């Protein structure tokens, strides 16, 4: 079976099948992300008008497409998981239904296995829970549970692969010793 598309590779040993697979995975998750954006805009908490319900998914898709500098298999799936988390978080806050919270835990597990950028979901949930409920045991408990799930999955992955370093090397000490990182923490 010959794929009629030819890709341009920096490395001459690059394979078209791998590139086509990346595009297929990314297209699949891009479509799912667009559907999720539509669902989120349909939630009664969001209170979007018909123009917003169309415009936000379109702008979201274009933002994802334009910001994808390098084709990798995990970027669009990470957007999908973050959007799924956002939708479930909104539903959880509206209903206080434990099934939505269990869904948040499952999404956090899958999202963290996919990519560590799932930590952005923790920022989102902490912001909306604390803004709605204030700082209390009722607001901090779900955030603590989800943070624990993220940390546990992160450590499980790192232990499984036998390393705590990234492609850039181990930046833990650098993150806490450079002025630019202090500014980022602020």
């Amino acid at each position: 079976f010959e794929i009629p598309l030819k890709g341009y590779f920096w490395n001459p040993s690059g394979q078209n099948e791998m590139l086509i697979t990346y595009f297929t995975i990314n297209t699949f998750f891009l479509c799912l992300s667009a559907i999720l954006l539509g669902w989120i805009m349909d939630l009664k908490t969001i209170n979007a008008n018909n123009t917003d319900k169309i415009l936000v998914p379109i702008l979201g898709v274009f933002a994802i497409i334009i910001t994808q500098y390098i084709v990798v298999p995990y970027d669009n799936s990470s957007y999908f998981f973050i959007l799924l988390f956002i939708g479930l978080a909104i539903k959880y806050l509206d209903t206080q239904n434990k099934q939505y919270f269990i869904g948040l835990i499952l999404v956090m597990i899958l999202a963290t296995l996919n990519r560590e950028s799932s930590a952005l979901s923790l920022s989102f949930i902490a912001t909306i829970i604390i803004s709605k409920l204030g700082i209390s045991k009722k607001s901090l408990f779900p955030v603590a549970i989800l943070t624990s799930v993220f940390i546990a999955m992160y450590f499980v992955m790192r232990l499984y692969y036998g390393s705590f370093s990234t492609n850039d090397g181990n930046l833990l000490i650098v993150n806490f010793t450079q002025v630019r990182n202090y500014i980022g923490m602020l």
Side-chain angles (χ1 to χ4, degrees):
F1 175 67
E2 181 69 26
I3 297 176
L5 301 172
K6 296 291 180 194
Y8 174 76
F9 299 100
W10 287 99
N11 185 338
S13 66
Q15 299 173 351
N16 264 344
E17 293 79 12
M18 185 61 76
L19 186 63
I20 298 301
T21 302
Y22 282 8
F23 279 113
T24 303
I25 290 169
N26 283 337
T27 302
F28 175 73
F29 280 107
L30 184 67
C31 292
L32 289 178
S33 296
I35 291 167
L36 278 176
L37 277 168
W39 173 65
I40 290 169
M41 294 309 294
D42 247 356
L43 295 174
K44 62 182 173 187
T45 304
I46 300 299
N47 196 22
N49 61 35
N50 287 336
T51 304
D52 293 340
K53 290 179 183 181
I54 295 169
L55 189 61
V56 169
I58 289 172
L59 291 176
V61 167
F62 283 127
I64 291 170
I65 292 168
I66 290 171
T67 60
Q68 185 152 15
Y69 301 110
I70 299 172
V71 178
V72 292
Y74 46 77
D75 276 350
N76 287 354
S77 57
S78 71
Y79 293 134
F80 164 76
F81 284 121
I82 289 172
L83 289 170
L84 181 58
F85 190 92
I86 288 170
L88 289 175
I90 292 169
K91 292 294 278 182
Y92 170 70
L93 279 175
D94 285 347
T95 63
Q96 295 296 315
N97 188 330
K98 290 183 188 206
Q99 289 178 327
Y100 287 117
F101 189 71
I102 291 168
L104 288 171
I105 291 171
L106 293 174
V107 170
M108 181 56 68
I109 290 169
L110 291 174
T112 306
L113 288 173
N114 180 65
R115 191 166 190 198
E116 294 151 353
S117 63
S118 62
L120 294 171
S121 299
L122 297 174
S123 304
F124 175 79
I125 193 82
T127 302
I128 62 169
I129 283 181
I130 291 172
S131 68
K132 183 173 182 175
L133 303 174
I135 296 178
S136 66
K137 189 182 283 189
K138 188 175 182 179
S139 66
L140 296 179
F141 182 72
V143 174
I145 295 292
L146 291 166
T147 302
S148 300
V149 168
F150 171 80
I151 291 170
M153 291 311 302
Y154 181 82
F155 277 106
V156 165
M157 281 191 319
R158 294 300 181 175
L159 291 173
Y160 178 77
Y161 288 109
S163 171
F164 279 82
S165 64
T166 63
N167 291 341
D168 300 330
N170 189 344
L171 301 175
L172 182 63
I173 294 171
V174 173
N175 286 339
F176 291 102
T177 57
Q178 290 187 353
V179 173
R180 68 178 185 201
N181 296 329
Y182 295 143
I183 294 169
M185 288 179 214
L186 290 176

